Amino acid sequence: MLLLTFALTIVAYLLGSISSAVLVCKLLNLPDPRTTGSNNPGATNVYRIGGKPAAIAVLIFDVLKGTIPVWGAYFLKIEPIYLGIIALATCLGHMYPIFFNFKGGKAVATAFGVLLPIGLDLGGLLIFTWLATLKFTRFSSLAAIITVTLAPFYTWLLKPIYTYPVMMLSVLIIIRHKDNIIRLLKRTEPKINNKLKI
């Protein structure tokens, strides 16, 4: 079991390391998201650079690369705590991709993908929380922070056995958003409809 977990963790990290934002931007002849806009290779920055179609493509791929390794491990009967490790590896791959000089995104969509195997009810709660926060604040980063903060609570209500792995993932995502948190506190964080390249 430990050997299988180790192998799946490596596969999860490598899959997470595939930066869809960079690849989609290259395919569509858009600027490199690592050096344009917020310099973050994620769906939100791609939306600012290339619009909705490009951002949706990035979003879908990033969700899938989170879902596939965790769902596979789930069907192989990997224990919940080890599922958490595999989920973390996927997100770390997105944040620090070996194929792209370890310069990655914040793994929000990928984190959503790794949480989907827990249940569609959890996925629905996460989507609702993100959309509601985004609608009222227009801050993509704040929507992500609030959603991942509530994720362990939602998990505890629905499937308590996965609470600790989800908590580990939430802490990782929040730490990754430290710069956004600072900008939110200083009121310098750009809103989703802000066209300024910050």
Side-chain angles (χ1 to χ4, degrees), residues 21-33:
V22 175
L23 295 178
V24 167
C25 285
K26 283 186 177 180
L27 184 65
L28 298 178
N29 293 317
L30 296 171
D32 190 328

Side-chain angles (χ1 to χ4, degrees), residues 59-79:
L59 185 66
I60 291 173
F61 184 87
D62 284 351
V63 169
L64 287 176
K65 76 179 183 182
T67 300
I68 291 170
V70 175
W71 220 324
Y74 175 82
F75 282 113
L76 289 172
K77 309 297 184 183
I78 299 296
E79 295 179 18

